[in-house]
Amino acid sequence: QVQLVESGGGFVQAGESLRLSCAASGRTFSSATMGWFRQAPGKERGFVAAITWGGGSTYYADSVKGRFTISRDNAKNTVYLQMNSLKPEDTAIYYCAAKDRGGPYSPYPYWGQGTQVTVSS
């Protein structure tokens, strides 16, 4: 059974930073792509960032480029999302996702439970 557990969400002021973590367990994600998605109230869940587990290639939504950084620690089976210069429009539930194959934008079969990020103006 694959488990993805997010942590690090919270309430911050605009301009501040947060770092989200996603710990993967239940199997080895040695060749997996890991992604972060978010869903704001009344909106569909959307892509934020992704990283290939082995190669370290990264992908970002235009709305977060230059502010968010995705990284991974293979030894800890953990992926991070460093979020700087947060804006109120970044407020959402952030989800971690994993996949074994396919590009960073195609469907992910494994999902975490989500962590709330709230940015106040």
PDB file of all heavy atoms in Angstrom, residues 4-9 19-24 36 78-82 96 113 115:
ATOM      1  N   LEU A   4       1.345   8.522   0.988  1.00  0.00           N
ATOM      2  CA  LEU A   4       1.978   9.828   0.837  1.00  0.00           C
ATOM      3  C   LEU A   4       1.415  10.718   1.931  1.00  0.00           C
ATOM      4  O   LEU A   4       0.198  10.889   2.023  1.00  0.00           O
ATOM      5  CB  LEU A   4       1.671  10.421  -0.540  1.00  0.00           C
ATOM      6  CG  LEU A   4       2.104   9.609  -1.751  1.00  0.00           C
ATOM      7  CD1 LEU A   4       1.606  10.255  -3.035  1.00  0.00           C
ATOM      8  CD2 LEU A   4       3.614   9.442  -1.794  1.00  0.00           C
ATOM      9  N   VAL A   5       2.285  11.271   2.736  1.00  0.00           N
ATOM     10  CA  VAL A   5       1.842  12.086   3.863  1.00  0.00           C
ATOM     11  C   VAL A   5       2.461  13.469   3.756  1.00  0.00           C
ATOM     12  O   VAL A   5       3.687  13.607   3.830  1.00  0.00           O
ATOM     13  CB  VAL A   5       2.216  11.436   5.204  1.00  0.00           C
ATOM     14  CG1 VAL A   5       1.744  12.317   6.355  1.00  0.00           C
ATOM     15  CG2 VAL A   5       1.608  10.041   5.310  1.00  0.00           C
ATOM     16  N   GLU A   6       1.592  14.467   3.594  1.00  0.00           N
ATOM     17  CA  GLU A   6       2.058  15.851   3.507  1.00  0.00           C
ATOM     18  C   GLU A   6       2.107  16.489   4.888  1.00  0.00           C
ATOM     19  O   GLU A   6       1.345  16.123   5.786  1.00  0.00           O
ATOM     20  CB  GLU A   6       1.128  16.699   2.631  1.00  0.00           C
ATOM     21  CG  GLU A   6       0.925  16.193   1.216  1.00  0.00           C
ATOM     22  CD  GLU A   6      -0.345  15.404   1.058  1.00  0.00           C
ATOM     23  OE1 GLU A   6      -0.812  14.825   2.058  1.00  0.00           O
ATOM     24  OE2 GLU A   6      -0.899  15.372  -0.062  1.00  0.00           O
ATOM     25  N   SER A   7       2.973  17.454   5.014  1.00  0.00           N
ATOM     26  CA  SER A   7       3.053  18.247   6.242  1.00  0.00           C
ATOM     27  C   SER A   7       3.636  19.605   5.898  1.00  0.00           C
ATOM     28  O   SER A   7       4.178  19.800   4.808  1.00  0.00           O
ATOM     29  CB  SER A   7       3.901  17.542   7.298  1.00  0.00           C
ATOM     30  OG  SER A   7       5.225  17.368   6.831  1.00  0.00           O
ATOM     31  N   GLY A   8       3.516  20.545   6.835  1.00  0.00           N
ATOM     32  CA  GLY A   8       4.138  21.846   6.658  1.00  0.00           C
ATOM     33  C   GLY A   8       3.200  22.969   6.296  1.00  0.00           C
ATOM     34  O   GLY A   8       3.619  24.128   6.199  1.00  0.00           O
ATOM     35  N   GLY A   9       1.928  22.656   6.084  1.00  0.00           N
ATOM     36  CA  GLY A   9       0.982  23.713   5.777  1.00  0.00           C
ATOM     37  C   GLY A   9       0.746  24.613   6.978  1.00  0.00           C
ATOM     38  O   GLY A   9       1.175  24.311   8.096  1.00  0.00           O
ATOM     39  N   ARG A  19       7.469  25.728   3.817  1.00  0.00           N
ATOM     40  CA  ARG A  19       8.016  24.567   3.129  1.00  0.00           C
ATOM     41  C   ARG A  19       7.131  23.365   3.416  1.00  0.00           C
ATOM     42  O   ARG A  19       6.951  22.982   4.580  1.00  0.00           O
ATOM     43  CB  ARG A  19       9.452  24.256   3.555  1.00  0.00           C
ATOM     44  CG  ARG A  19      10.077  23.160   2.705  1.00  0.00           C
ATOM     45  CD  ARG A  19      11.517  22.868   3.041  1.00  0.00           C
ATOM     46  NE  ARG A  19      11.650  22.007   4.199  1.00  0.00           N
ATOM     47  CZ  ARG A  19      12.712  21.238   4.430  1.00  0.00           C
ATOM     48  NH1 ARG A  19      13.716  21.229   3.564  1.00  0.00           N
ATOM     49  NH2 ARG A  19      12.780  20.503   5.522  1.00  0.00           N
ATOM     50  N   LEU A  20       6.601  22.791   2.364  1.00  0.00           N
ATOM     51  CA  LEU A  20       5.797  21.581   2.476  1.00  0.00           C
ATOM     52  C   LEU A  20       6.683  20.356   2.290  1.00  0.00           C
ATOM     53  O   LEU A  20       7.641  20.388   1.521  1.00  0.00           O
ATOM     54  CB  LEU A  20       4.687  21.565   1.437  1.00  0.00           C
ATOM     55  CG  LEU A  20       3.751  22.774   1.406  1.00  0.00           C
ATOM     56  CD1 LEU A  20       2.661  22.556   0.349  1.00  0.00           C
ATOM     57  CD2 LEU A  20       3.150  23.046   2.753  1.00  0.00           C
ATOM     58  N   SER A  21       6.348  19.295   2.988  1.00  0.00           N
ATOM     59  CA  SER A  21       7.050  18.026   2.851  1.00  0.00           C
ATOM     60  C   SER A  21       6.059  16.934   2.481  1.00  0.00           C
ATOM     61  O   SER A  21       4.898  16.983   2.892  1.00  0.00           O
ATOM     62  CB  SER A  21       7.752  17.643   4.156  1.00  0.00           C
ATOM     63  OG  SER A  21       8.701  18.608   4.538  1.00  0.00           O
ATOM     64  N   CYS A  22       6.538  15.954   1.736  1.00  0.00           N
ATOM     65  CA  CYS A  22       5.723  14.790   1.384  1.00  0.00           C
ATOM     66  C   CYS A  22       6.585  13.553   1.587  1.00  0.00           C
ATOM     67  O   CYS A  22       7.550  13.337   0.849  1.00  0.00           O
ATOM     68  CB  CYS A  22       5.241  14.875  -0.047  1.00  0.00           C
ATOM     69  SG  CYS A  22       4.410  13.378  -0.641  1.00  0.00           S
ATOM     70  N   ALA A  23       6.234  12.764   2.578  1.00  0.00           N
ATOM     71  CA  ALA A  23       6.963  11.531   2.864  1.00  0.00           C
ATOM     72  C   ALA A  23       6.251  10.361   2.220  1.00  0.00           C
ATOM     73  O   ALA A  23       5.058  10.143   2.461  1.00  0.00           O
ATOM     74  CB  ALA A  23       7.064  11.324   4.366  1.00  0.00           C
ATOM     75  N   ALA A  24       6.980   9.608   1.402  1.00  0.00           N
ATOM     76  CA  ALA A  24       6.419   8.446   0.707  1.00  0.00           C
ATOM     77  C   ALA A  24       6.838   7.162   1.411  1.00  0.00           C
ATOM     78  O   ALA A  24       7.980   7.034   1.844  1.00  0.00           O
ATOM     79  CB  ALA A  24       6.902   8.423  -0.733  1.00  0.00           C
ATOM     80  N   TRP A  36       3.291  18.132  -6.978  1.00  0.00           N
ATOM     81  CA  TRP A  36       2.456  18.897  -6.045  1.00  0.00           C
ATOM     82  C   TRP A  36       1.321  19.524  -6.841  1.00  0.00           C
ATOM     83  O   TRP A  36       1.542  20.089  -7.921  1.00  0.00           O
ATOM     84  CB  TRP A  36       3.257  19.995  -5.355  1.00  0.00           C
ATOM     85  CG  TRP A  36       4.182  19.506  -4.287  1.00  0.00           C
ATOM     86  CD1 TRP A  36       5.522  19.262  -4.407  1.00  0.00           C
ATOM     87  CD2 TRP A  36       3.843  19.187  -2.925  1.00  0.00           C
ATOM     88  NE1 TRP A  36       6.037  18.826  -3.218  1.00  0.00           N
ATOM     89  CE2 TRP A  36       5.025  18.776  -2.286  1.00  0.00           C
ATOM     90  CE3 TRP A  36       2.658  19.239  -2.187  1.00  0.00           C
ATOM     91  CZ2 TRP A  36       5.050  18.396  -0.933  1.00  0.00           C
ATOM     92  CZ3 TRP A  36       2.688  18.864  -0.858  1.00  0.00           C
ATOM     93  CH2 TRP A  36       3.872  18.449  -0.244  1.00  0.00           C
ATOM     94  N   THR A  78      11.440  11.540   0.392  1.00  0.00           N
ATOM     95  CA  THR A  78      10.670  12.738   0.714  1.00  0.00           C
ATOM     96  C   THR A  78      10.849  13.796  -0.369  1.00  0.00           C
ATOM     97  O   THR A  78      11.955  13.969  -0.895  1.00  0.00           O
ATOM     98  CB  THR A  78      11.108  13.308   2.071  1.00  0.00           C
ATOM     99  OG1 THR A  78      10.877  12.324   3.082  1.00  0.00           O
ATOM    100  CG2 THR A  78      10.334  14.568   2.420  1.00  0.00           C
ATOM    101  N   VAL A  79       9.763  14.461  -0.684  1.00  0.00           N
ATOM    102  CA  VAL A  79       9.767  15.567  -1.629  1.00  0.00           C
ATOM    103  C   VAL A  79       9.341  16.835  -0.896  1.00  0.00           C
ATOM    104  O   VAL A  79       8.483  16.779  -0.008  1.00  0.00           O
ATOM    105  CB  VAL A  79       8.815  15.287  -2.802  1.00  0.00           C
ATOM    106  CG1 VAL A  79       8.727  16.475  -3.730  1.00  0.00           C
ATOM    107  CG2 VAL A  79       9.277  14.075  -3.574  1.00  0.00           C
ATOM    108  N   TYR A  80       9.939  17.940  -1.278  1.00  0.00           N
ATOM    109  CA  TYR A  80       9.657  19.215  -0.625  1.00  0.00           C
ATOM    110  C   TYR A  80       9.133  20.236  -1.635  1.00  0.00           C
ATOM    111  O   TYR A  80       9.440  20.159  -2.820  1.00  0.00           O
ATOM    112  CB  TYR A  80      10.926  19.770   0.019  1.00  0.00           C
ATOM    113  CG  TYR A  80      11.593  18.818   0.979  1.00  0.00           C
ATOM    114  CD1 TYR A  80      12.650  18.024   0.571  1.00  0.00           C
ATOM    115  CD2 TYR A  80      11.146  18.707   2.288  1.00  0.00           C
ATOM    116  CE1 TYR A  80      13.265  17.145   1.440  1.00  0.00           C
ATOM    117  CE2 TYR A  80      11.749  17.824   3.168  1.00  0.00           C
ATOM    118  CZ  TYR A  80      12.809  17.049   2.742  1.00  0.00           C
ATOM    119  OH  TYR A  80      13.404  16.173   3.616  1.00  0.00           O
ATOM    120  N   LEU A  81       8.381  21.177  -1.127  1.00  0.00           N
ATOM    121  CA  LEU A  81       7.964  22.321  -1.936  1.00  0.00           C
ATOM    122  C   LEU A  81       8.244  23.571  -1.116  1.00  0.00           C
ATOM    123  O   LEU A  81       7.537  23.852  -0.142  1.00  0.00           O
ATOM    124  CB  LEU A  81       6.483  22.242  -2.308  1.00  0.00           C
ATOM    125  CG  LEU A  81       6.017  23.351  -3.266  1.00  0.00           C
ATOM    126  CD1 LEU A  81       6.666  23.170  -4.643  1.00  0.00           C
ATOM    127  CD2 LEU A  81       4.494  23.335  -3.396  1.00  0.00           C
ATOM    128  N   GLN A  82       9.298  24.281  -1.482  1.00  0.00           N
ATOM    129  CA  GLN A  82       9.623  25.535  -0.827  1.00  0.00           C
ATOM    130  C   GLN A  82       8.834  26.634  -1.501  1.00  0.00           C
ATOM    131  O   GLN A  82       8.960  26.839  -2.713  1.00  0.00           O
ATOM    132  CB  GLN A  82      11.125  25.816  -0.929  1.00  0.00           C
ATOM    133  CG  GLN A  82      11.554  27.140  -0.324  1.00  0.00           C
ATOM    134  CD  GLN A  82      11.389  27.182   1.173  1.00  0.00           C
ATOM    135  OE1 GLN A  82      11.727  26.235   1.878  1.00  0.00           O
ATOM    136  NE2 GLN A  82      10.868  28.303   1.682  1.00  0.00           N
ATOM    137  N   CYS A  96       0.207  16.133  -2.461  1.00  0.00           N
ATOM    138  CA  CYS A  96       1.354  15.447  -3.025  1.00  0.00           C
ATOM    139  C   CYS A  96       0.846  14.262  -3.852  1.00  0.00           C
ATOM    140  O   CYS A  96      -0.148  13.624  -3.484  1.00  0.00           O
ATOM    141  CB  CYS A  96       2.243  14.948  -1.890  1.00  0.00           C
ATOM    142  SG  CYS A  96       3.646  13.960  -2.394  1.00  0.00           S
ATOM    143  N   GLN A 113      -3.246  13.111   1.481  1.00  0.00           N
ATOM    144  CA  GLN A 113      -4.507  13.605   1.999  1.00  0.00           C
ATOM    145  C   GLN A 113      -4.629  15.128   1.925  1.00  0.00           C
ATOM    146  O   GLN A 113      -5.717  15.674   2.100  1.00  0.00           O
ATOM    147  CB  GLN A 113      -4.693  13.161   3.465  1.00  0.00           C
ATOM    148  CG  GLN A 113      -3.979  14.022   4.500  1.00  0.00           C
ATOM    149  CD  GLN A 113      -2.476  13.895   4.485  1.00  0.00           C
ATOM    150  OE1 GLN A 113      -1.902  13.016   3.836  1.00  0.00           O
ATOM    151  NE2 GLN A 113      -1.804  14.780   5.215  1.00  0.00           N
ATOM    152  N   THR A 115      -2.653  19.192   2.583  1.00  0.00           N
ATOM    153  CA  THR A 115      -2.332  20.065   3.707  1.00  0.00           C
ATOM    154  C   THR A 115      -2.758  21.487   3.341  1.00  0.00           C
ATOM    155  O   THR A 115      -2.532  21.943   2.218  1.00  0.00           O
ATOM    156  CB  THR A 115      -0.836  19.996   4.062  1.00  0.00           C
ATOM    157  OG1 THR A 115      -0.573  20.769   5.238  1.00  0.00           O
ATOM    158  CG2 THR A 115       0.048  20.506   2.925  1.00  0.00           C
TER     159      THR A 115
END
